[in-house]
Amino acid sequence: MPVDFSGTWNLVSNDNFEGYMVALGIDFATRKVAKMLKPQKVIKQDGDSFYIHTTSTFRDYLLEFKVGEEFDEDTKGLDNRKCKSLVTWENDKLVCVQTGEKKNRGWTHWLEGDDLHLELRCENQVCRQVFKRA
Ligand code: YOG
């Protein structure tokens, strides 16, 4: 059975989100608000087609892609940059490389027990998030 990330997931931990936001150039006032948030992710997966909607009381962000197909990503409402993004499978991990102005930018999703993990990378910063099923 291939891995299936589908579901509604609530953030339960968020390690070094501050460092990740600083690396993205998010201003102090926005970081202050953002770090209080407990975002939810709604993931719909149909084979290699993904819909990932990250929502919060402050901003929300929708990403739709197919694994193996590069797409133009506009991080509107986040750091408002444009990048070329490509998501691939590395075994059961979903790995995204976001090529653009910021070096070493990307993220990785995987399942561990009942938890959804997300590592967010930018420059020399790594943010580790864990989500539980709602
Ligand atoms: O996830 O891209 O699941 O897109 C990253 C926030 C905070 C806004 C969230 C809103 C980066 C202000 C999306 C938080 C900080 C701070 C809820 C991560 C930027 C701005 C939307 C992401 C992938 C993988 C799918």
Side-chain angles (χ1 to χ4, degrees), residues 17 20-21 24 26 30-31 33-35 37-41 43 52-65 73 75 77-80 96 98 105 107-109 116 118-120 129 131:
F17 188 47
Y20 176 71
M21 288 194 290
L24 284 175
I26 307 299
T30 304
R31 295 201 311 270
V33 174
K35 67 182 162 199
L37 303 171
K38 289 280 176 274
Q40 185 174 73
K41 276 191 199 284
I43 302 181
I52 303 180
H53 195 195
T54 309
T55 63
S56 75
T57 52
F58 179 50
R59 304 266 173 80
D60 73 297
Y61 188 67
L62 174 63
L63 193 68
E64 290 181 277
F65 58 88
E73 183 172 5
T75 63
L78 304 179
D79 61 313
N80 299 302
C96 180
Q98 295 169 304
R105 183 171 186 175
W107 51 260
T108 300
H109 264 303
L116 173 73
L118 173 61
E119 180 181 281
L120 295 160
Q129 300 186 334
F131 297 80

Side-chain angles (χ1 to χ4, degrees), residues 26 46 50 63 72 85 118 121:
I26 307 299
D46 179 7
F50 280 83
L63 193 68
D72 293 306
S85 299
L118 173 61
R121 298 175 293 276

